[in-house]
Amino acid sequence: MAAAIKALNAKIRSNPWTDYICSTHFWGPVSNFGIPLAAVMDTQKSPELISGQMTAALCVYSATFMRFSLAVTPQNWLLFGCHLINESAQLTQMYRYLDWHRWGGKEKAAVAKAAAPAVAVKDAVVNAVKK
């Protein structure tokens, strides 16, 4: 049995493509892509749910590992791409967090929410007059 596994491993490792697919240079970034996918999906959620501390930590984490992915030999471009997407998404989240909590986004949303019933009444009156 061990000889069969050793022969299979030698066959896999002899082909550069299958050798790459069976390496940590491939599976590390693939398994790590859950973080940027979640970050991109979170850009559609309310900014009041964003944690500023966690977003800052993930920005530092992604920047660090983007650098690491180019420092290893051979360079891991799949890992670099994974962390580039995550860095972009986290910077977007950080902007949304700052806009909501520091730059008046919360107040603008409250004003818009308060004005919504008045706009609805105005539209109803305009529609009634047109009939």
Side-chain angles (χ1 to χ4, degrees), residues 22-100:
C22 292
S23 72
T24 56
H25 273 261
F26 177 76
W27 287 107
V30 167
S31 62
N32 203 28
F33 254 107
I35 296 170
L37 289 176
V40 169
M41 297 301 291
D42 284 348
T43 60
Q44 304 303 311
K45 294 181 181 175
S46 172
E48 65 187 330
L49 300 174
I50 299 170
S51 166
Q53 291 178 333
M54 188 63 182
T55 301
L58 285 169
C59 283
V60 171
Y61 160 78
S62 285
T64 302
F65 276 91
M66 276 196 306
R67 173 66 183 107
F68 171 77
S69 69
L70 299 177
V72 296
T73 304
Q75 293 178 333
N76 193 335
W77 290 100
L78 188 58
L79 185 63
F80 180 82
C82 171
H83 286 293
L84 179 67
I85 292 168
N86 191 38
E87 183 74 17
S88 302
Q90 295 302 332
L91 289 173
T92 300
Q93 291 291 74
M94 184 57 78
Y95 173 79
R96 293 178 68 227
Y97 173 82
L98 291 172
D99 183 47
W100 183 259

Side-chain angles (χ1 to χ4, degrees), residues 114-124:
V119 171
V121 169
K122 177 189 161 219
D123 291 343

